[in-house]
Coordinates of all heavy atoms in Angstrom, one line a residue:
M11 N 0.8 -6.9 8.8 CA -0.2 -5.9 8.9 C -0.3 -5.3 10.3 O 0.2 -5.9 11.3 CB -1.5 -6.6 8.4 CG -2.5 -7.0 9.4 SD -3.9 -7.8 8.7 CE -3.2 -9.0 7.6
L12 N -0.8 -4.2 10.4 CA -0.7 -3.4 11.6 C -1.2 -4.2 12.8 O -0.7 -4.1 13.9 CB -1.5 -2.1 11.5 CG -1.5 -1.1 12.6 CD1 -0.1 -0.6 12.8 CD2 -2.4 0.0 12.4
L13 N -2.3 -5.0 12.6 CA -2.9 -5.7 13.7 C -1.9 -6.7 14.4 O -2.1 -7.0 15.6 CB -4.2 -6.4 13.3 CG -5.3 -5.4 12.9 CD1 -6.3 -6.1 12.0 CD2 -6.0 -4.9 14.2
L14 N -0.9 -7.1 13.6 CA 0.0 -8.0 14.2 C 0.9 -7.3 15.3 O 1.5 -8.1 16.1 CB 0.9 -8.6 13.1 CG 0.3 -9.6 12.2 CD1 1.3 -9.9 11.0 CD2 0.0 -10.9 13.0
A15 N 0.9 -6.0 15.3 CA 1.6 -5.3 16.3 C 0.9 -5.4 17.6 O 1.5 -4.9 18.7 CB 1.9 -3.9 15.9
A16 N -0.2 -5.9 17.7 CA -0.9 -6.0 19.0 C -0.2 -6.8 20.0 O 0.4 -7.8 19.7 CB -2.4 -6.5 18.9
P17 N -0.2 -6.4 21.3 CA 0.4 -7.3 22.3 C -0.4 -8.6 22.5 O -1.5 -8.7 22.0 CB 0.4 -6.4 23.5 CG -0.8 -5.5 23.4 CD -0.9 -5.3 21.8
A18 N 0.3 -9.5 23.1 CA -0.4 -10.8 23.4 C -1.5 -10.5 24.4 O -1.4 -9.6 25.3 CB 0.5 -11.7 24.0
F19 N -2.7 -11.0 24.2 CA -3.8 -10.8 25.1 C -4.1 -12.0 25.9 O -3.9 -13.1 25.5 CB -5.1 -10.5 24.3 CG -5.0 -9.2 23.5 CD1 -4.5 -9.2 22.2 CD2 -5.3 -8.0 24.1 CE1 -4.4 -8.0 21.5 CE2 -5.2 -6.8 23.4 CZ -4.8 -6.8 22.1
A20 N -4.6 -11.7 27.1 CA -5.1 -12.9 27.9 C -6.3 -13.5 27.1 O -7.0 -12.8 26.5 CB -5.5 -12.4 29.3
Q21 N -6.4 -14.7 27.2 CA -7.5 -15.4 26.5 C -8.6 -15.7 27.5 O -9.3 -16.8 27.3 CB -7.0 -16.7 25.8 CG -6.1 -16.4 24.6 CD -6.8 -15.8 23.5 OE1 -8.0 -16.1 23.2 NE2 -6.2 -14.8 22.9
D22 N -8.9 -14.9 28.4 CA -10.0 -15.2 29.4 C -11.1 -14.3 29.1 O -11.8 -13.9 30.1 CB -9.5 -15.1 30.8 CG -8.8 -13.8 31.0 OD1 -8.8 -12.9 30.1 OD2 -8.4 -13.5 32.2
E23 N -11.4 -13.9 27.9 CA -12.6 -13.1 27.6 C -13.8 -13.9 27.7 O -13.8 -15.1 27.6 CB -12.5 -12.7 26.2 CG -11.3 -11.8 25.8 CD -11.3 -11.4 24.3 OE1 -12.0 -12.0 23.5 OE2 -10.6 -10.4 24.1
D24 N -14.9 -13.3 27.9 CA -16.2 -13.9 27.7 C -17.1 -13.0 26.9 O -16.6 -11.9 26.5 CB -16.9 -14.3 29.0 CG -17.4 -13.1 29.8 OD1 -18.1 -12.3 29.3 OD2 -16.9 -13.1 31.0
S25 N -18.2 -13.4 26.4 CA -18.9 -12.7 25.4 C -19.3 -11.3 25.8 O -19.6 -10.5 24.9 CB -20.1 -13.5 24.9 OG -21.1 -13.6 26.0
S26 N -19.3 -11.0 27.1 CA -19.7 -9.6 27.5 C -18.8 -8.6 27.1 O -18.9 -7.4 27.1 CB -19.9 -9.6 29.0 OG -18.6 -9.8 29.6
I27 N -17.5 -9.0 26.5 CA -16.6 -8.1 26.0 C -17.2 -7.4 24.7 O -16.7 -6.4 24.3 CB -15.2 -8.7 25.7 CG1 -14.1 -7.6 25.5 CG2 -15.2 -9.7 24.6 CD1 -12.8 -8.0 26.1
L28 N -18.1 -8.1 24.1 CA -18.7 -7.5 22.8 C -20.0 -6.8 23.2 O -20.6 -7.2 24.2 CB -19.0 -8.7 21.8 CG -17.8 -9.4 21.2 CD1 -18.2 -10.6 20.4 CD2 -16.9 -8.5 20.5
P29 N -20.4 -5.9 22.4 CA -21.6 -5.2 22.7 C -22.8 -6.1 22.7 O -22.9 -7.0 21.9 CB -21.7 -4.1 21.6 CG -20.5 -4.2 20.8 CD -19.7 -5.3 21.2
E30 N -23.7 -5.9 23.6 CA -24.9 -6.6 23.7 C -25.7 -6.6 22.4 O -25.8 -5.5 21.8 CB -25.8 -5.9 24.8 CG -27.1 -6.5 25.1 CD -27.0 -7.4 26.3 OE1 -26.7 -7.0 27.3 OE2 -27.4 -8.6 26.0
G31 N -26.3 -7.7 22.0 CA -27.2 -7.6 20.9 C -27.4 -9.0 20.3 O -26.6 -9.9 20.6
E32 N -28.4 -9.2 19.4 CA -28.6 -10.4 18.8 C -27.4 -10.8 18.0 O -26.9 -10.0 17.2 CB -29.8 -10.3 17.9 CG -30.3 -11.6 17.4 CD -31.3 -11.5 16.3 OE1 -31.9 -10.4 16.1 OE2 -31.5 -12.5 15.5
G33 N -27.0 -12.1 18.2 CA -25.8 -12.6 17.5 C -24.5 -12.5 18.2 O -23.5 -13.0 17.8
R34 N -24.6 -11.8 19.4 CA -23.3 -11.7 20.1 C -22.7 -13.0 20.5 O -21.6 -13.2 20.3 CB -23.6 -10.8 21.4 CG -22.2 -10.7 22.1 CD -22.4 -9.7 23.4 NE -23.1 -10.4 24.4 CZ -23.3 -9.9 25.6 NH1 -22.8 -8.7 25.9 NH2 -24.0 -10.5 26.6
D35 N -23.5 -13.9 21.1 CA -22.9 -15.1 21.5 C -22.4 -16.0 20.4 O -21.3 -16.6 20.6 CB -24.0 -15.9 22.4 CG -24.3 -15.3 23.7 OD1 -23.6 -14.3 24.1 OD2 -25.3 -15.6 24.3
E36 N -23.1 -16.0 19.3 CA -22.6 -16.7 18.1 C -21.3 -16.2 17.7 O -20.4 -16.9 17.3 CB -23.7 -16.7 17.0 CG -25.0 -17.4 17.3 CD -26.0 -16.5 18.0 OE1 -25.6 -15.5 18.6 OE2 -27.2 -17.0 18.0
T37 N -21.3 -14.8 17.5 CA -20.1 -14.2 17.1 C -18.9 -14.5 18.0 O -17.8 -14.9 17.6 CB -20.3 -12.7 16.9 OG1 -21.4 -12.4 16.1 CG2 -19.1 -11.9 16.4
F38 N -19.2 -14.3 19.3 CA -18.1 -14.5 20.2 C -17.6 -16.0 20.1 O -16.4 -16.3 20.0 CB -18.5 -14.3 21.6 CG -17.4 -14.4 22.6 CD1 -16.5 -13.4 22.8 CD2 -17.3 -15.6 23.4 CE1 -15.4 -13.6 23.7 CE2 -16.2 -15.8 24.3 CZ -15.3 -14.8 24.4
A39 N -18.5 -16.9 20.1 CA -18.1 -18.3 20.1 C -17.3 -18.7 18.9 O -16.3 -19.5 18.9 CB -19.4 -19.2 20.2
L40 N -17.8 -18.2 17.7 CA -17.1 -18.6 16.5 C -15.9 -17.8 16.1 O -15.0 -18.3 15.5 CB -18.1 -18.5 15.3 CG -19.0 -19.7 15.3 CD1 -20.3 -19.3 14.7 CD2 -18.4 -20.8 14.5
C41 N -15.9 -16.6 16.5 CA -14.9 -15.7 16.0 C -13.7 -15.5 17.0 O -12.7 -14.8 16.7 CB -15.5 -14.3 15.7 SG -16.8 -14.5 14.5
T42 N -13.8 -16.1 18.2 CA -12.6 -15.9 19.0 C -11.9 -17.3 19.2 O -11.1 -17.5 20.1 CB -13.0 -15.4 20.4 OG1 -14.0 -16.3 21.0 CG2 -13.6 -14.0 20.3
A43 N -12.2 -18.2 18.3 CA -11.5 -19.5 18.4 C -10.0 -19.4 18.0 O -9.2 -20.1 18.5 CB -12.2 -20.5 17.4
C44 N -9.7 -18.5 17.1 CA -8.3 -18.3 16.6 C -7.6 -17.1 17.0 O -6.4 -16.9 17.1 CB -8.3 -18.4 15.1 SG -9.1 -19.8 14.4
H45 N -8.4 -16.0 17.3 CA -7.8 -14.8 17.8 C -8.8 -14.2 18.8 O -10.0 -14.6 18.7 CB -7.6 -13.8 16.6 CG -8.7 -13.7 15.6 ND1 -9.9 -13.2 15.9 CD2 -8.8 -14.1 14.3 CE1 -10.7 -13.2 14.9 NE2 -10.1 -13.8 13.9
N46 N -8.4 -13.4 19.6 CA -9.4 -12.9 20.6 C -10.2 -11.7 19.9 O -10.0 -11.4 18.7 CB -8.7 -12.5 21.9 CG -8.0 -11.2 21.9 OD1 -8.1 -10.4 20.9 ND2 -7.2 -11.0 22.9
S47 N -11.1 -11.2 20.7 CA -12.1 -10.3 20.1 C -11.5 -8.9 19.8 O -12.1 -8.1 19.1 CB -13.2 -10.1 21.1 OG -12.8 -9.4 22.2
A48 N -10.3 -8.6 20.2 CA -9.8 -7.3 20.0 C -9.6 -7.0 18.5 O -9.9 -5.9 18.0 CB -8.4 -7.1 20.6
I49 N -9.2 -8.0 17.7 CA -9.1 -7.8 16.3 C -10.4 -7.5 15.6 O -10.5 -6.8 14.7 CB -8.5 -9.1 15.7 CG1 -7.8 -8.9 14.3 CG2 -9.5 -10.2 15.6 CD1 -6.9 -10.1 14.0
I50 N -11.5 -7.9 16.2 CA -12.9 -7.6 15.7 C -13.2 -6.2 16.2 O -13.7 -5.3 15.4 CB -13.9 -8.6 16.2 CG1 -13.5 -10.0 15.7 CG2 -15.3 -8.3 15.7 CD1 -14.2 -11.2 16.3
R51 N -13.0 -5.9 17.5 CA -13.5 -4.7 18.2 C -12.8 -3.5 17.6 O -13.4 -2.4 17.6 CB -13.3 -4.8 19.7 CG -14.3 -5.7 20.3 CD -14.2 -5.8 21.8 NE -13.0 -6.5 22.2 CZ -12.0 -5.9 23.0 NH1 -12.0 -4.7 23.3 NH2 -11.0 -6.7 23.3
R52 N -11.7 -3.6 17.0 CA -11.0 -2.5 16.5 C -11.2 -2.3 15.0 O -10.8 -1.4 14.4 CB -9.5 -2.6 16.7 CG -8.8 -3.7 16.0 CD -7.4 -3.8 16.2 NE -7.0 -3.7 17.6 CZ -5.8 -3.7 18.1 NH1 -4.8 -3.7 17.3 NH2 -5.6 -3.8 19.4
T53 N -12.0 -3.2 14.4 CA -12.3 -3.1 13.0 C -13.7 -2.5 12.7 O -14.6 -2.7 13.5 CB -12.3 -4.6 12.4 OG1 -11.0 -5.2 12.7 CG2 -12.6 -4.6 10.9
R54 N -13.7 -1.6 11.7 CA -15.0 -1.0 11.3 C -15.2 -1.2 9.8 O -14.4 -0.7 9.0 CB -15.0 0.5 11.6 CG -14.9 0.9 13.0 CD -16.1 0.6 13.8 NE -15.9 0.9 15.2 CZ -15.4 0.1 16.2 NH1 -15.1 -1.1 15.8 NH2 -15.4 0.5 17.4
L55 N -16.2 -2.0 9.5 CA -16.4 -2.3 8.1 C -17.9 -2.2 7.7 O -18.7 -2.5 8.6 CB -16.0 -3.7 7.8 CG -14.5 -4.1 7.9 CD1 -14.2 -5.5 7.7 CD2 -13.6 -3.3 6.9
P56 N -18.2 -1.8 6.5 CA -19.6 -1.9 6.1 C -20.0 -3.4 5.9 O -19.1 -4.3 5.8 CB -19.6 -1.2 4.7 CG -18.2 -1.1 4.3 CD -17.3 -1.3 5.5
R57 N -21.3 -3.7 5.9 CA -21.7 -5.0 5.9 C -21.1 -5.9 4.8 O -20.7 -7.0 5.1 CB -23.3 -5.1 5.8 CG -23.8 -6.5 6.1 CD -25.4 -6.5 5.9 NE -25.9 -7.8 6.5 CZ -25.7 -9.0 5.9 NH1 -25.0 -9.1 4.8 NH2 -26.2 -10.0 6.4
A58 N -21.0 -5.4 3.6 CA -20.5 -6.2 2.5 C -19.1 -6.7 2.8 O -18.7 -7.7 2.3 CB -20.6 -5.4 1.2
Q59 N -18.4 -5.8 3.4 CA -17.0 -6.2 3.7 C -16.9 -7.2 4.8 O -16.0 -8.0 4.8 CB -16.1 -4.9 3.9 CG -15.7 -4.3 2.6 CD -14.9 -3.1 2.8 OE1 -15.4 -2.0 2.5 NE2 -13.7 -3.2 3.3
W60 N -17.7 -7.0 5.8 CA -17.8 -8.1 6.8 C -18.1 -9.4 6.2 O -17.6 -10.5 6.5 CB -18.8 -7.7 8.0 CG -18.3 -6.8 9.0 CD1 -18.7 -5.5 9.3 CD2 -17.2 -7.1 9.9 NE1 -18.0 -5.1 10.3 CE2 -17.1 -5.9 10.7 CE3 -16.3 -8.1 10.1 CZ2 -16.1 -5.9 11.8 CZ3 -15.4 -8.1 11.1 CH2 -15.2 -6.9 11.9
D61 N -19.1 -9.3 5.3 CA -19.6 -10.5 4.6 C -18.4 -11.2 3.8 O -18.0 -12.4 3.9 CB -20.7 -10.3 3.7 CG -21.4 -11.5 3.3 OD1 -21.8 -12.3 4.1 OD2 -21.6 -11.7 2.0
G62 N -17.6 -10.3 3.1 CA -16.4 -10.8 2.4 C -15.4 -11.4 3.3 O -14.6 -12.3 3.0
L63 N -15.3 -10.8 4.5 CA -14.3 -11.3 5.4 C -14.6 -12.7 5.9 O -13.6 -13.4 6.2 CB -14.3 -10.3 6.6 CG -13.1 -10.5 7.6 CD1 -12.1 -9.4 7.4 CD2 -13.6 -10.6 9.0
M64 N -15.8 -13.1 5.8 CA -16.2 -14.5 6.2 C -15.5 -15.4 5.2 O -15.0 -16.5 5.6 CB -17.7 -14.6 6.2 CG -18.5 -13.8 7.3 SD -18.0 -14.1 9.0 CE -17.0 -12.6 9.3
D65 N -15.6 -15.1 3.9 CA -14.9 -15.9 2.9 C -13.4 -15.9 3.1 O -12.8 -17.0 3.0 CB -15.3 -15.4 1.5 CG -16.8 -15.5 1.2 OD1 -17.4 -16.5 1.7 OD2 -17.3 -14.7 0.5
W66 N -12.9 -14.7 3.3 CA -11.4 -14.6 3.6 C -11.0 -15.5 4.7 O -9.9 -16.2 4.6 CB -11.1 -13.2 3.8 CG -9.6 -12.8 3.9 CD1 -8.7 -12.8 2.9 CD2 -9.0 -12.4 5.1 NE1 -7.5 -12.5 3.4 CE2 -7.6 -12.2 4.8 CE3 -9.3 -12.3 6.4 CZ2 -6.6 -11.9 5.7 CZ3 -8.4 -11.9 7.3 CH2 -7.1 -11.7 7.0
M67 N -11.8 -15.5 5.8 CA -11.4 -16.3 7.0 C -11.4 -17.8 6.7 O -10.7 -18.5 7.2 CB -12.5 -15.8 8.1 CG -11.9 -15.8 9.5 SD -10.5 -14.7 9.7 CE -11.3 -13.2 9.5
V68 N -12.4 -18.2 5.8 CA -12.4 -19.5 5.4 C -11.3 -20.0 4.5 O -10.6 -20.9 4.7 CB -13.8 -19.9 4.8 CG1 -13.9 -21.2 4.2 CG2 -15.0 -19.7 5.8
E69 N -11.1 -19.1 3.5 CA -10.2 -19.5 2.4 C -8.7 -19.3 2.9 O -7.9 -20.2 2.6 CB -10.4 -18.6 1.2 CG -11.6 -19.0 0.4 CD -12.1 -17.9 -0.5 OE1 -11.3 -17.0 -0.8 OE2 -13.3 -18.0 -0.9
K70 N -8.5 -18.3 3.6 CA -7.1 -18.1 4.0 C -6.7 -18.6 5.4 O -5.6 -18.9 5.6 CB -6.8 -16.6 4.0 CG -6.8 -15.9 2.6 CD -5.4 -16.1 1.9 CE -5.3 -15.2 0.8 NZ -5.1 -15.9 -0.5
H71 N -7.7 -18.7 6.2 CA -7.3 -19.0 7.6 C -8.0 -20.2 8.1 O -7.9 -20.5 9.3 CB -7.7 -17.8 8.5 CG -6.9 -16.6 8.2 ND1 -5.6 -16.6 8.1 CD2 -7.4 -15.3 7.8 CE1 -5.2 -15.3 7.7 NE2 -6.2 -14.6 7.6
G72 N -8.6 -21.0 7.3 CA -9.1 -22.3 7.7 C -10.4 -22.3 8.6 O -10.6 -23.3 9.3
M73 N -11.1 -21.2 8.7 CA -12.3 -21.3 9.4 C -13.3 -22.2 8.7 O -13.3 -22.3 7.5 CB -12.9 -19.8 9.5 CG -14.2 -19.7 10.4 SD -14.7 -18.0 10.7 CE -15.7 -17.8 9.2
N74 N -14.1 -22.9 9.5 CA -15.1 -23.7 9.0 C -16.2 -22.8 8.4 O -16.6 -21.9 9.0 CB -15.8 -24.6 10.0 CG -14.9 -25.6 10.5 OD1 -14.0 -26.2 9.7 ND2 -14.9 -25.9 11.8
P75 N -16.6 -23.1 7.1 CA -17.6 -22.3 6.5 C -18.9 -22.2 7.4 O -19.3 -23.2 8.0 CB -17.9 -23.0 5.1 CG -16.8 -23.8 4.8 CD -16.2 -24.2 6.2
L76 N -19.5 -21.1 7.4 CA -20.7 -20.9 8.2 C -21.9 -21.2 7.4 O -22.0 -20.9 6.2 CB -20.8 -19.5 8.7 CG -19.6 -18.9 9.4 CD1 -19.7 -17.4 9.7 CD2 -19.3 -19.7 10.7
D77 N -23.0 -21.8 8.0 CA -24.1 -22.0 7.2 C -24.8 -20.7 7.1 O -24.5 -19.7 7.8 CB -25.1 -23.1 7.7 CG -25.8 -22.8 9.0 OD1 -26.3 -21.7 9.1 OD2 -25.8 -23.7 9.9
A78 N -25.7 -20.6 6.1 CA -26.2 -19.3 5.7 C -26.9 -18.5 6.7 O -26.7 -17.3 6.9 CB -27.2 -19.5 4.5
D79 N -27.7 -19.1 7.6 CA -28.4 -18.5 8.7 C -27.4 -17.9 9.7 O -27.5 -16.7 10.1 CB -29.3 -19.4 9.4 CG -30.6 -19.7 8.6 OD1 -30.8 -19.0 7.6 OD2 -31.4 -20.5 9.1
L80 N -26.4 -18.7 10.1 CA -25.5 -18.3 11.1 C -24.6 -17.2 10.5 O -24.4 -16.2 11.2 CB -24.6 -19.5 11.4 CG -23.7 -19.3 12.6 CD1 -24.4 -18.9 13.8 CD2 -22.9 -20.6 12.9
R81 N -24.3 -17.3 9.3 CA -23.5 -16.3 8.6 C -24.2 -15.0 8.6 O -23.6 -13.9 9.0 CB -23.1 -16.7 7.2 CG -22.3 -15.7 6.5 CD -21.8 -16.3 5.2 NE -21.2 -15.3 4.3 CZ -20.2 -15.5 3.5 NH1 -19.6 -16.7 3.4 NH2 -19.6 -14.5 2.8
S82 N -25.5 -15.0 8.3 CA -26.1 -13.7 8.3 C -26.4 -13.1 9.7 O -26.3 -11.9 9.9 CB -27.4 -13.7 7.4 OG -28.3 -14.5 7.9
T83 N -26.6 -14.0 10.6 CA -26.7 -13.5 12.0 C -25.4 -12.8 12.4 O -25.4 -11.8 13.0 CB -27.0 -14.7 13.0 OG1 -28.2 -15.4 12.6 CG2 -27.0 -14.3 14.4
I84 N -24.3 -13.4 12.1 CA -23.0 -12.9 12.6 C -22.7 -11.6 11.8 O -22.3 -10.6 12.4 CB -21.9 -14.0 12.4 CG1 -22.1 -15.0 13.5 CG2 -20.5 -13.3 12.5 CD1 -21.2 -16.2 13.4
V85 N -22.9 -11.7 10.4 CA -22.6 -10.5 9.7 C -23.4 -9.3 10.0 O -23.0 -8.2 10.2 CB -22.6 -10.9 8.2 CG1 -22.4 -9.5 7.3 CG2 -21.5 -11.8 7.8
D86 N -24.7 -9.6 10.3 CA -25.6 -8.5 10.7 C -25.1 -7.9 12.1 O -25.1 -6.7 12.2 CB -27.0 -9.1 11.0 CG -27.8 -9.2 9.7 OD1 -27.3 -8.8 8.6 OD2 -28.9 -9.9 9.7
Y87 N -24.8 -8.8 13.0 CA -24.2 -8.4 14.3 C -23.0 -7.5 14.1 O -22.9 -6.4 14.6 CB -23.9 -9.5 15.1 CG -23.3 -9.1 16.4 CD1 -24.0 -8.7 17.5 CD2 -21.9 -9.2 16.6 CE1 -23.5 -8.2 18.7 CE2 -21.3 -8.7 17.7 CZ -22.0 -8.2 18.8 OH -21.5 -7.7 20.0
L88 N -22.1 -8.0 13.3 CA -20.9 -7.2 13.1 C -21.1 -5.9 12.4 O -20.6 -4.9 12.8 CB -19.9 -8.0 12.2 CG -19.3 -9.3 12.8 CD1 -18.7 -10.2 11.9 CD2 -18.4 -9.0 14.0
A89 N -22.0 -5.9 11.4 CA -22.2 -4.6 10.7 C -22.9 -3.6 11.6 O -22.7 -2.4 11.5 CB -23.1 -4.9 9.4
R90 N -23.8 -4.1 12.5 CA -24.6 -3.2 13.3 C -23.7 -2.6 14.4 O -23.8 -1.4 14.7 CB -25.7 -4.0 14.0 CG -26.7 -3.2 14.8 CD -27.9 -4.1 15.4 NE -28.4 -5.0 14.4 CZ -28.5 -6.3 14.6 NH1 -28.1 -6.9 15.8 NH2 -29.0 -7.1 13.7
H91 N -22.8 -3.4 14.9 CA -21.9 -2.9 16.0 C -20.6 -2.5 15.6 O -19.9 -1.7 16.3 CB -21.9 -4.0 17.1 CG -23.2 -4.3 17.7 ND1 -23.7 -3.5 18.7 CD2 -24.1 -5.3 17.5 CE1 -25.0 -4.0 19.0 NE2 -25.1 -5.2 18.3
F92 N -20.1 -2.9 14.5 CA -18.8 -2.6 14.1 C -18.7 -2.1 12.6 O -17.9 -2.3 11.8 CB -17.8 -3.8 14.3 CG -17.7 -4.2 15.7 CD1 -18.4 -5.4 16.1 CD2 -17.1 -3.5 16.6 CE1 -18.4 -5.8 17.4 CE2 -17.0 -3.9 18.0 CZ -17.7 -5.1 18.3
G93 N -19.8 -1.3 12.3 CA -19.9 -0.7 11.0 C -19.2 0.6 11.0 O -18.7 1.1 12.1
P94 N -19.0 1.3 9.8 CA -18.3 2.5 9.7 C -18.8 3.6 10.7 O -18.0 4.4 11.1 CB -18.4 2.9 8.3 CG -19.0 1.7 7.6 CD -19.6 0.8 8.6
A95 N -20.1 3.6 11.0 CA -20.6 4.7 11.9 C -20.5 4.4 13.3 O -20.9 5.2 14.1 CB -22.1 4.9 11.4
A96 N -20.1 3.2 13.6 CA -20.0 2.8 15.0 C -19.0 3.7 15.8 O -18.1 4.3 15.1 CB -19.6 1.4 15.2
T97 N -19.1 3.7 17.1 CA -18.1 4.6 17.9 C -16.7 4.1 17.5 O -16.5 2.9 17.5 CB -18.4 4.3 19.3 OG1 -19.8 4.3 19.6 CG2 -17.7 5.3 20.3
P98 N -15.8 5.0 17.3 CA -14.5 4.5 16.9 C -13.9 3.8 18.1 O -14.2 4.1 19.3 CB -13.7 5.8 16.7 CG -14.7 6.9 16.6 CD -16.0 6.4 17.3
P99 N -13.0 2.9 17.8 CA -12.3 2.2 19.0 C -11.4 3.3 19.7 O -11.1 4.3 19.1 CB -11.4 1.2 18.3 CG -11.3 1.6 16.9 CD -12.5 2.4 16.5
R100 N -11.0 3.0 20.9 CA -10.1 3.9 21.6 C -8.8 3.7 20.8 O -7.9 3.0 21.2 CB -10.0 3.5 23.0 CG -11.2 3.9 23.9 CD -11.2 3.2 25.2 NE -11.5 1.8 25.1 CZ -11.3 0.9 26.0 NH1 -10.6 1.2 27.0 NH2 -11.6 -0.4 25.7
A101 N -8.7 4.5 19.7 CA -7.8 4.2 18.7 C -6.4 4.0 19.1 O -5.7 3.1 18.6 CB -7.9 5.3 17.6
R102 N -5.9 4.9 19.9 CA -4.5 4.8 20.2 C -4.1 4.1 21.5 O -3.0 4.1 21.9 CB -3.9 6.2 20.1 CG -3.6 6.7 18.7 CD -3.4 8.2 18.5 NE -4.7 8.9 18.8 CZ -5.7 8.9 17.9 NH1 -5.5 8.3 16.7 NH2 -6.8 9.6 18.1
N103 N -5.1 3.4 22.0 CA -4.8 2.5 23.2 C -4.4 1.2 22.7 O -5.2 0.4 22.2 CB -6.1 2.5 24.0 CG -5.9 1.6 25.2 OD1 -4.8 1.0 25.4 ND2 -6.8 1.6 26.2
P104 N -3.1 0.8 22.9 CA -2.6 -0.4 22.4 C -3.2 -1.6 23.2 O -3.1 -2.8 22.7 CB -1.1 -0.3 22.6 CG -0.9 0.7 23.6 CD -2.0 1.7 23.5
F105 N -3.8 -1.3 24.3 CA -4.3 -2.5 25.1 C -5.8 -2.7 24.9 O -6.4 -3.4 25.7 CB -4.0 -2.1 26.6 CG -2.5 -2.1 26.8 CD1 -1.9 -0.8 27.1 CD2 -1.7 -3.2 26.7 CE1 -0.6 -0.7 27.2 CE2 -0.3 -3.1 26.9 CZ 0.2 -1.8 27.1
L106 N -6.3 -2.0 23.9 CA -7.8 -2.1 23.6 C -8.2 -3.6 23.5 O -7.5 -4.3 22.8 CB -8.1 -1.4 22.3 CG -9.5 -1.5 21.9 CD1 -10.4 -0.7 22.8 CD2 -9.7 -1.0 20.4
Ligands
HEC4 C1 -9.8 -20.7 11.9 C2 -9.3 -19.5 12.6 C3 -10.1 -18.3 12.5 C4 -11.4 -18.1 12.8 C5 -12.5 -19.1 13.3 C6 -11.7 -16.7 12.7 N1 -10.6 -16.0 12.3 FE1 -10.4 -14.0 12.0 N2 -8.5 -14.3 11.5 C7 -7.8 -15.5 11.5 C8 -6.4 -15.2 11.2 C9 -5.3 -16.3 11.2 C10 -6.3 -13.8 11.0 C11 -5.1 -13.0 10.6 C12 -4.5 -12.7 11.9 C13 -3.5 -11.6 11.9 O1 -3.3 -11.0 10.8 O2 -2.9 -11.4 13.0 C14 -7.6 -13.3 11.2 C15 -7.9 -11.9 11.0 C16 -9.1 -11.4 11.3 C17 -9.4 -10.0 11.2 C18 -8.4 -8.8 10.8 C19 -8.6 -8.6 9.3 C20 -7.7 -7.6 8.8 O3 -8.1 -6.8 7.9 O4 -6.5 -7.5 9.3 C21 -10.7 -9.8 11.5 C22 -11.5 -8.5 11.5 C23 -11.3 -11.1 11.8 N3 -10.2 -12.0 11.7 C24 -12.5 -11.3 12.2 C25 -13.0 -12.6 12.4 C26 -14.5 -12.8 12.6 C27 -15.5 -11.8 12.7 C28 -14.6 -14.2 12.8 C29 -15.8 -15.0 13.0 C30 -16.7 -15.1 11.9 C31 -13.3 -14.8 12.7 N4 -12.4 -13.8 12.4 C32 -13.0 -16.1 12.8 C33 -8.3 -16.7 11.8 C34 -9.6 -17.0 12.2

């Protein structure tokens, strides 16, 4: 998939790389264990698809299932900041 074409990233991010808001720290802590945040930051999905992605991450990629509260905190955060209407990523910058 296209995202695999991304260059290797330094793994020295901290949560400030994600937009400020409720759920940021949880999202950063849980979602950058296996890949860095770029894969998230360049994605734009409606809430239902972010929610579905949580299952996909568990089933296909071995993420530990999230408990319901944490899951909704994270999915809300993702949908709010990385929904279809969010500012597009700097689309053609490969170093995003
Ligand atoms: C246990 C490891 C693991 C965890 C934890 C994890 N992911 Fe992933 N994620 C993956 C793998 C593996 C891929 C596929 C990577 C690839 O295609 O390069 C992936 C891919 C993705 C993609 C790209 C989907 C696509 O359509 O290509 C997104 C977006 C994503 N993850 C978001 C998240 C979010 C949000 C979280 C936190 C809830 C998360 N990931 C936590 C392993 C993980």
Side-chain angles (χ1 to χ4, degrees):
M11 104 188 40
L12 186 62
L13 290 161
L14 285 172
F19 293 93
Q21 288 296 318
D22 56 358
E23 298 179 342
D24 67 55
S25 66
S26 66
I27 195 149
L28 293 176
E30 177 96 60
E32 194 194 337
R34 178 176 74 174
D35 291 345
E36 292 86 342
T37 302
F38 182 81
L40 279 151
C41 302
T42 60
C44 303
H45 46 66
N46 76 15
S47 70
I49 202 166
I50 300 167
R51 286 182 288 117
R52 66 177 53 181
T53 301
R54 295 291 178 272
L55 295 172
R57 191 183 191 287
Q59 279 177 251
W60 277 118
D61 196 51
L63 191 106
M64 298 299 102
D65 294 326
W66 182 72
M67 215 59 65
V68 170
E69 284 159 22
K70 291 277 196 238
H71 298 308
M73 184 172 85
N74 291 325
L76 305 174
D77 73 45
D79 282 355
L80 187 57
R81 179 170 171 148
S82 64
T83 300
I84 288 177
V85 171
D86 284 348
Y87 175 82
L88 291 167
R90 190 175 314 124
H91 296 282
F92 302 103
T97 315
R100 283 166 289 158
R102 277 160 293 283
N103 178 353
F105 300 107
L106 178 69

